[in-house]
Amino acid sequence: MLSKDNLFAISLFPYLGFLWFLTRSGQMPRLALIGFYGTLVFVAVTIPAGIYAKVAYGESLANIDVLHGSAEIFLTLSNILIVLGFRQAVRAIEK
């Protein structure tokens, strides 16, 4: 049976494929594409933060507010970039 950690690691490959196709299509608004890549930064920050939370505090990342909130900032910024990128694209089409 797959653990949540294994499933998380495996899910990275479809996401990388998604990014590859988005990048190659040339149809994704640039700012939104940067936001989707920013999600990888969130993952890159979350993994070590989760390990640190477990080693230093004996807790999961979700239970250490300072670490969890710091990691979530990267996801929030990524989401903002995605929304702004699509907003720019919609406004450009409307003009």
Side-chain angles (χ1 to χ4, degrees):
M1 183 158 169
L2 289 174
S3 71
K4 66 176 181 163
D5 296 328
N6 289 338
L7 192 57
F8 178 74
I10 292 169
S11 72
L12 186 59
F13 294 106
Y15 191 75
L16 291 173
F18 165 75
L19 289 177
W20 184 79
F21 281 110
L22 279 184
T23 303
R24 294 213 27 162
S25 76
Q27 296 180 351
M28 178 62 58
R30 180 155 173 75
L31 196 56
L33 186 61
I34 291 169
F36 281 118
Y37 275 97
T39 304
L40 289 177
V41 175
F42 162 71
V43 171
V45 168
T46 300
I47 292 170
I51 293 169
Y52 180 76
K54 187 59 92 177
V55 171
Y57 299 101
E59 293 279 347
S60 71
L61 179 60
N63 294 333
I64 310 298
D65 289 339
V66 172
L67 291 175
H68 188 238
S70 299
E72 289 292 326
I73 287 170
F74 291 97
L75 183 59
T76 302
L77 292 174
S78 296
N79 289 337
I80 289 170
L81 290 175
I82 292 167
V83 169
L84 290 177
F86 282 118
R87 180 175 179 245
Q88 280 180 341
V90 168
R91 285 193 168 192
I93 290 171
E94 288 175 345
K95 287 183 181 182

